[in-house]
Amino acid sequence: MIKEKYVALGKKPSAIRVLFEYGKVRKQEVGEDHVFDFSIGNPNAPAPDCVKEAIIDLLNNDTSFHLHGYTSAVGDLKVREAVADYLNKTYNANTDAKLIYISCGAMPGLAAVFNCLIEKGDEVIVFAPHWPDYKVLVDQVGGTLVRVKPETVNFYPDYEDLINKINEKTRIVIINSPNNPTGAVYNEEVLTKISEIMSAKSKEYGHPIFLVSDEPYRDLIYEDYKYPYVTNFYKDSIVCYSFSKTLSLPGERIGYISVTKDCYRAYDLALAIGGSARSLGYACAPSLFQFILPKCLGQTADLNFYKENRDVLYKGLTDIGYEVIYPHGAFYLFVKALEEDDEHFSSVAKDMDLLIVPSKSFGYPGYVRVSYCVDKKTVVNGLPVFKKLYDKYKGE
Amino acid sequence: MIKEKYVALGKKPSAIRVLFEYGKVRKQEVGEDHVFDFSIGNPNAPAPDCVKEAIIDLLNNDTSFHLHGYTSAVGDLKVREAVADYLNKTYNANTDAKLIYISCGAMPGLAAVFNCLIEKGDEVIVFAPHWPDYKVLVDQVGGTLVRVKPETVNFYPDYEDLINKINEKTRIVIINSPNNPTGAVYNEEVLTKISEIMSAKSKEYGHPIFLVSDEPYRDLIYEDYKYPYVTNFYKDSIVCYSFSKTLSLPGERIGYISVTKDCYRAYDLALAIGGSARSLGYACAPSLFQFILPKCLGQTADLNFYKENRDVLYKGLTDIGYEVIYPHGAFYLFVKALEEDDEHFSSVAKDMDLLIVPSKSFGYPGYVRVSYCVDKKTVVNGLPVFKKLYDKYKGE
């Protein structure tokens, strides 16, 4: 009667959540200052002022009926227009309001897209290491997640492996740049290469293979990069964006799905995404947080907050002797574990109240993910614990 | 590649939405005052003051990190405790925080429950007439929606038909009281009768048949009724509640799922609902609107607003000569169409700029649904148009 796979999923949420929940309990036992929780990607730079200002302005000047009422299921039209304008101005995205679906964050966007495109037995390619819940979402629609390995300098895709893994059952290739968990940002060269491979394979198999670009970290880039917008490289791309990280609103569940006018059956695809989301129970994205968007597009939480953490932690860890991928975006460091078994390594760290996530859960063993969306104190006081951990393995 | 069923669903949202969207356009053409839109169940009594007060209090006194951050996927623990306490005090519900899942409204709650319990080929019973999207949600999980007919005085279930329709494939019976579209409220006698039938059938087939109670209108009752809480009548009940109507927040997507401790495998079921929701892309319910709940539980929008509309409209329509089901709750009148073809009847009304929803879309032809969550002006000025419509059919 009750599907056991969901009982199991409900029992063991995810390696990240397990560590995070442990951390909350542990802090009550030994005190906040004695637990160094680098487990979860919960942005801790405060939401930018525009958020609170917009909410209060709306509460004081809009009607309850409009502000809290149902919007169109695909999102309020004016909000979709504002998002389309922003994407066109910022990235030359060649989209319009009808091609925007306002979603409850990136995860429901991915769920709606997978549900809309994947039949039982279809394959979805992802580049390892990757956010664990891609597997949950692909499993849900009966698809098979196929991992392509990375090269281990920049953690860009291994193109030969991509070529070998695409077959006639491949429907979707997922990218996630800036990347969780490595912090890698795909540059124009990487996107061009992926696009070339996917175009050739789409032609070979006689149907488009969609590129699904999961972009919650798009605005969290710490260098003088201009983010290369994916639809400009590969027209059959579906962008799943979230404001969770950009505006530090992960709990509020607001984001969007966007395609370009040149996409395969663009307008039918947009309609189908709406129909798919409705079938999964999505009535509309939270209305208040839809209506703040026109006032907050282009703004971000204070990125220096994360950049400083990154710099201190990267330098601190490499000085100790750790091997760390240099991250250009997001708020994660991907650190080589000091033994083969990353889960054991994480548990040794946990015994020191240092909470870091084993990379096996990201489909790529041998590393740990260190989230640096934490307060400075945790970074500064955490470094000696990383040193203690290092010494335990390497001697003093 | 793109599943055509979702393109179709995206193209034609629902009869209600189609009329509602038409009304918006039509109002721009002929002026707001000349369109009498009784189509959508968008509550128009303003949210009670506690909502705005709680939001501003939280914005001023909570941290951005806590207020807008991820909560536990199943909902913030303190919020779940508050909901459980409220249900125990108000209805003697015998539940606890672990049996509460905070959902993005009732619809996602239903989606998660169906996904968790229904295998391909299973049957789900619903009492006609019913909210159309039950079919969308049941179709999505591969189930078959089976309609039980009502008696036509109070629009309670036809029990003989229920007995005949339950078979070994039946997994769920859905109830929705107060009812959309009839306004019927199931009293203790009705719930006792349904419970007796389901208990006997569960025993006969050797597995529990779950009662899924969709309760967005629970607090919209206009008489001196005490709402009979379903788990007190049938232990294997799953309550899907929404604050959309109670607090006039339909756009904000906040509600919960609750079961009683005595339910079949209650704690496993609660875990499975969480796992199921996660698989559908639900990360957590909007955090700000979770946190206002402890301050707003038990409060409602001004129900007199709806009650007055009901009284004026019920009297007005019956005085004209319409046959109307007397509604004890929700904000709908179910009115017998003046011809067999309710869709044609609705289109004749539409030509008079009177927007009423044909009942065929509710799985029960021959009626129209008149939503009275509209401003008084629409009721008062709409009545003469109802008269004109009546006269067109019945002569003067």
Side-chain angles (χ1 to χ4, degrees):
Chain A
M1 286 291 301
I2 302 170
K3 294 183 193 166
E4 297 302 331
K5 64 176 175 180
Y6 295 128
V7 180
L9 200 58
K11 254 182 198 150
K12 197 181 171 175
S14 77
I16 299 165
R17 284 270 181 182
V18 168
L19 269 178
F20 174 64
E21 299 291 342
Y22 170 83
K24 285 205 282 194
V25 175
R26 184 69 182 152
K27 280 174 186 173
Q28 286 177 352
E29 287 169 14
V30 300
E32 291 246 345
D33 290 352
H34 300 283
V35 180
F36 310 95
D37 182 0
F38 297 92
S39 68
I40 207 166
N42 218 343
N44 71 325
D49 292 341
C50 64
V51 170
K52 183 174 169 181
E53 285 164 14
I55 294 174
I56 288 178
D57 181 47
L58 286 162
L59 284 172
N60 287 332
N61 297 310
D62 201 352
T63 62
S64 174
F65 181 68
H66 179 255
L67 185 55
H68 302 306
Y70 289 115
T71 68
S72 289
V74 294
D76 178 78
L77 181 59
K78 287 199 174 122
V79 173
R80 284 184 291 144
E81 284 170 350
V83 168
D85 282 355
Y86 174 79
L87 290 175
N88 289 337
K89 276 181 197 145
T90 312
Y91 302 113
N92 200 19
N94 193 28
T95 188
D96 66 33
K98 285 190 177 166
L99 300 175
I100 306 289
Y101 171 90
I102 307 293
S103 63
C104 301
M107 186 181 186
L110 295 165
V113 169
F114 295 165
N115 181 54
C116 173
L117 295 176
I118 302 299
E119 303 274 3
K120 198 171 159 58
D122 287 346
E123 294 186 1
V124 175
I125 285 178
V126 69
F127 299 106
H130 63 86
W131 183 55
D133 276 17
Y134 294 139
K135 183 158 167 45
V136 174
L137 298 177
V138 170
D139 282 352
Q140 171 65 21
V141 295
T144 302
L145 194 72
V146 176
R147 292 189 182 98
V148 165
K149 64 185 183 193
E151 47 82 356
T152 54
V153 179
N154 296 304
F155 275 77
Y156 293 154
D158 179 321
Y159 303 113
E160 280 311 305
D161 199 34
L162 174 60
I163 291 168
N164 292 334
K165 296 273 169 67
I166 296 181
N167 62 47
E168 59 192 0
K169 287 192 264 177
T170 307
R171 290 287 172 271
I172 285 172
V173 175
I174 304 171
I175 61 171
N176 170 225
S177 166
N179 185 263
N180 173 10
T182 67
V185 179
Y186 291 1
N187 57 26
E188 298 199 359
E189 199 185 324
V190 175
L191 291 179
T192 302
K193 191 75 192 153
I194 292 173
S195 171
E196 283 169 4
I197 293 168
M198 288 179 65
S199 295
K201 289 285 186 179
S202 294
K203 203 170 164 191
E204 182 181 342
Y205 294 117
H207 62 248
I209 299 166
F210 286 100
L211 188 58
V212 172
S213 185
D214 178 27
E215 305 187 359
Y217 303 100
R218 188 171 74 205
D219 295 309
L220 273 60
I221 292 186
Y222 308 114
E223 327 290 342
D224 252 349
Y225 274 25
K226 173 146 174 62
Y227 185 82
Y229 195 72
V230 70
T231 65
N232 296 330
F233 293 82
Y234 188 73
K235 69 183 179 54
D236 296 331
S237 295
I238 303 170
V239 171
C240 294
Y241 181 80
S242 169
F243 292 94
S244 292
K245 276 63 178 180
T246 305
L247 296 179
S248 288
L249 298 173
E252 306 299 0
R253 314 313 302 137
I254 188 79
Y256 57 80
I257 305 172
S258 169
V259 297
T260 177
K261 291 179 192 173
D262 303 324
C263 182
Y264 171 78
R265 294 181 66 195
Y267 292 90
D268 279 351
L269 178 59
L271 286 169
I273 287 168
S276 168
R278 180 177 160 207
S279 296
L280 299 176
Y282 293 93
C284 65
S287 50
L288 172 62
F289 285 93
Q290 288 193 46
F291 292 126
I292 72 164
L293 294 185
K295 303 177 183 211
C296 295
L297 284 164
Q299 303 217 38
T300 67
D302 180 9
L303 299 187
N304 277 324
F305 185 92
Y306 301 127
K307 186 174 188 298
E308 283 171 29
N309 277 356
R310 179 196 67 167
D311 293 342
V312 171
L313 204 53
Y314 179 82
K315 185 173 186 311
L317 291 177
T318 48
D319 283 355
I320 291 169
Y322 285 100
E323 191 181 316
V324 188
I325 314 308
Y326 186 78
H328 294 280
F331 38 49
Y332 307 109
L333 287 172
F334 206 54
V335 180
K336 194 127 175 60
L338 299 176
E339 60 172 306
E340 263 190 35
D341 182 348
D342 52 271
E343 288 178 327
H344 184 258
F345 180 65
S346 166
S347 80
V348 172
K350 187 177 157 195
D351 289 341
M352 299 176 178
D353 290 319
L354 177 66
L355 307 183
I356 51 184
V357 183
S359 69
K360 200 175 157 193
S361 57
F362 298 94
Y364 194 78
Y367 291 75
V368 285
R369 187 190 79 169
V370 179
S371 292
Y372 55 83
C373 49
V374 295
D375 61 26
K376 195 136 296 156
K377 207 173 57 182
T378 306
V379 172
V380 171
N381 297 335
L383 277 170
V385 189
F386 275 107
K387 174 81 170 90
K388 202 171 108 191
L389 179 66
Y390 189 87
D391 290 343
K392 186 175 170 84
Y393 280 87
K394 303 288 184 177
E396 296 194 36
Chain B
M1 286 292 301
I2 302 171
K3 294 182 192 167
E4 297 303 333
K5 64 176 174 180
Y6 295 128
V7 179
L9 201 57
K11 253 181 200 152
K12 192 175 176 180
S14 77
I16 301 166
R17 284 269 181 186
V18 168
L19 269 179
F20 175 64
E21 299 291 343
Y22 170 82
K24 285 204 285 193
V25 174
R26 184 68 181 152
K27 282 174 185 172
Q28 286 176 354
E29 287 170 12
V30 300
E32 292 245 345
D33 289 351
H34 300 282
V35 180
F36 309 96
D37 182 0
F38 296 93
S39 68
I40 206 167
N42 217 343
N44 71 325
D49 291 343
C50 64
V51 170
K52 183 173 169 182
E53 285 164 16
I55 293 174
I56 288 178
D57 181 48
L58 286 162
L59 284 172
N60 287 332
N61 297 309
D62 200 351
T63 62
S64 173
F65 180 68
H66 179 257
L67 185 56
H68 302 305
Y70 290 115
T71 68
S72 288
V74 294
D76 178 79
L77 180 60
K78 286 196 174 124
V79 173
R80 283 184 292 144
E81 283 169 352
V83 169
D85 282 354
Y86 173 79
L87 291 175
N88 289 337
K89 275 180 198 148
T90 312
Y91 302 112
N92 200 18
N94 193 27
T95 187
D96 66 32
K98 283 189 178 166
L99 300 175
I100 305 290
Y101 171 89
I102 307 293
S103 64
C104 300
M107 186 182 186
L110 295 166
V113 168
F114 294 165
N115 182 52
C116 173
L117 295 176
I118 303 298
E119 303 275 2
K120 198 170 159 57
D122 287 346
E123 295 186 1
V124 175
I125 285 178
V126 69
F127 299 107
H130 64 84
W131 182 54
D133 275 17
Y134 294 138
K135 180 155 167 51
V136 173
L137 298 176
V138 170
D139 282 351
Q140 171 64 21
V141 295
T144 302
L145 194 71
V146 175
R147 292 190 182 98
V148 165
K149 64 184 184 195
E151 46 82 356
T152 54
V153 179
N154 295 304
F155 276 77
Y156 294 153
D158 179 321
Y159 303 114
E160 281 309 305
D161 199 34
L162 174 60
I163 290 169
N164 292 334
K165 295 273 169 69
I166 296 180
N167 62 46
E168 60 192 356
K169 288 193 265 176
T170 306
R171 290 287 171 273
I172 285 173
V173 174
I174 304 172
I175 62 172
N176 170 224
S177 165
N179 184 263
N180 172 11
T182 66
V185 179
Y186 290 1
N187 57 25
E188 298 199 358
E189 198 184 325
V190 174
L191 291 179
T192 302
K193 191 74 193 154
I194 292 173
S195 171
E196 283 169 4
I197 293 168
M198 289 180 65
S199 295
K201 290 286 187 178
S202 294
K203 205 171 163 189
E204 180 181 344
Y205 295 118
H207 63 249
I209 299 167
F210 286 100
L211 187 59
V212 172
S213 184
D214 179 26
E215 305 186 359
Y217 303 100
R218 187 172 73 207
D219 294 311
L220 272 60
I221 293 186
Y222 308 114
E223 326 291 340
D224 251 351
Y225 273 26
K226 174 145 174 64
Y227 185 81
Y229 195 70
V230 69
T231 64
N232 295 331
F233 294 81
Y234 188 73
K235 67 183 181 55
D236 296 332
S237 295
I238 304 170
V239 171
C240 295
Y241 182 80
S242 169
F243 292 94
S244 291
K245 275 65 177 180
T246 306
L247 296 178
S248 288
L249 297 174
E252 305 299 1
R253 315 312 303 138
I254 189 78
Y256 57 79
I257 306 172
S258 170
V259 296
T260 177
K261 290 179 192 172
D262 303 323
C263 181
Y264 172 77
R265 293 181 67 195
Y267 292 90
D268 280 352
L269 178 59
L271 287 169
I273 287 169
S276 169
R278 181 177 159 206
S279 294
L280 299 177
Y282 294 92
C284 64
S287 50
L288 173 61
F289 286 91
Q290 288 192 47
F291 292 126
I292 71 163
L293 294 185
K295 302 178 184 211
C296 296
L297 284 165
Q299 304 216 36
T300 66
D302 180 9
L303 299 188
N304 278 323
F305 186 91
Y306 301 128
K307 187 174 187 301
E308 283 170 28
N309 277 356
R310 179 196 67 166
D311 293 343
V312 171
L313 205 51
Y314 179 80
K315 184 172 186 311
L317 291 178
T318 47
D319 282 354
I320 291 169
Y322 285 100
E323 191 180 316
V324 188
I325 314 308
Y326 187 78
H328 295 280
F331 39 48
Y332 307 109
L333 287 174
F334 206 54
V335 180
K336 193 125 176 60
L338 298 177
E339 60 172 306
E340 263 192 35
D341 183 348
D342 52 89
E343 288 178 326
H344 183 258
F345 180 65
S346 165
S347 80
V348 171
K350 188 177 157 195
D351 288 342
M352 299 178 180
D353 290 319
L354 178 64
L355 307 183
I356 50 185
V357 184
S359 69
K360 200 176 159 193
S361 57
F362 297 94
Y364 194 77
Y367 291 75
V368 285
R369 188 191 77 170
V370 179
S371 292
Y372 55 83
C373 50
V374 296
D375 59 26
K376 196 136 297 156
K377 206 173 56 182
T378 305
V379 171
V380 172
N381 297 335
L383 277 170
V385 190
F386 275 105
K387 174 82 170 89
K388 199 171 109 192
L389 179 66
Y390 189 86
D391 290 343
K392 187 176 169 82
Y393 280 87
K394 305 285 183 180
E396 292 192 42

